[in-house]
Amino acid sequence: MKHLDVVCAIITRKDNVLAAKRHPGGPAGDKWEFPGGKIKVNETPAQAIQREIKEELGVTIKQIERLEINQHTYPEFKISLLPIICEITDGEPMAIEHAEIRWIAIEKLLNLDWAEADQPIVRRYLAKERK
């Protein structure tokens, strides 16, 4: 089974987090996720998250903190998903590669229909924020 190393950005602004809704169809279609994508060969997670967020949202970010990797198996492939808490340093996010993006209050994150691989990350992030 194919295995992918993936990064995702938990982009924060005040008490809100940026969520991105996938287009319908395919794995996790029409579900919400933290934006990001595959780490390319010879690319560090830091380089990958910068590149992916620039491509997907049109903004520049700075990394604040890495969280625990989540391993998830979809029917077609497995992923190791590394969440990185980030802040925007330049630009205003646009839904370039998503159906929709939305700033959502931290306490309302669980109200969204998250992609399976992102669900444990949402819960861990909320637990961290409540401490």
Side-chain angles (χ1 to χ4, degrees), residues 5-107:
D5 288 314
V6 180
V7 288
C8 68
I10 301 173
I11 301 172
T12 62
R13 180 183 282 169
K14 298 181 183 172
D15 291 331
N16 295 295
V17 174
L18 189 74
K21 190 173 188 181
R22 296 178 64 92
H23 288 284
D30 237 9
K31 302 271 185 179
W32 291 88
E33 68 178 359
F34 294 116
K38 295 185 269 308
I39 301 172
K40 293 182 177 180
V41 176
N42 297 324
E43 188 175 50
T44 66
Q47 293 166 329
I49 199 67
Q50 288 283 344
R51 176 185 52 75
E52 286 286 347
I53 297 308
K54 190 71 171 171
E55 291 172 3
E56 291 188 7
L57 301 172
V59 297
T60 304
I61 56 168
K62 71 174 180 179
Q63 297 179 54
I64 306 299
E65 180 182 356
R66 290 184 183 192
L67 300 182
E68 179 184 342
I69 290 174
N70 183 48
Q71 307 286 339
H72 185 77
T73 303
Y74 284 103
E76 305 85 15
F77 57 91
K78 293 181 182 183
I79 67 169
S80 295
L81 183 56
L82 171 61
I84 303 172
I85 299 173
C86 304
E87 291 178 353
I88 295 172
T89 58
D90 187 49
E92 192 59 36
M94 300 173 292
I96 297 169
E97 294 195 11
H98 289 89
E100 178 185 346
I101 59 172
R102 182 186 302 172
W103 288 105
I104 186 154
I106 291 170
E107 66 273 8

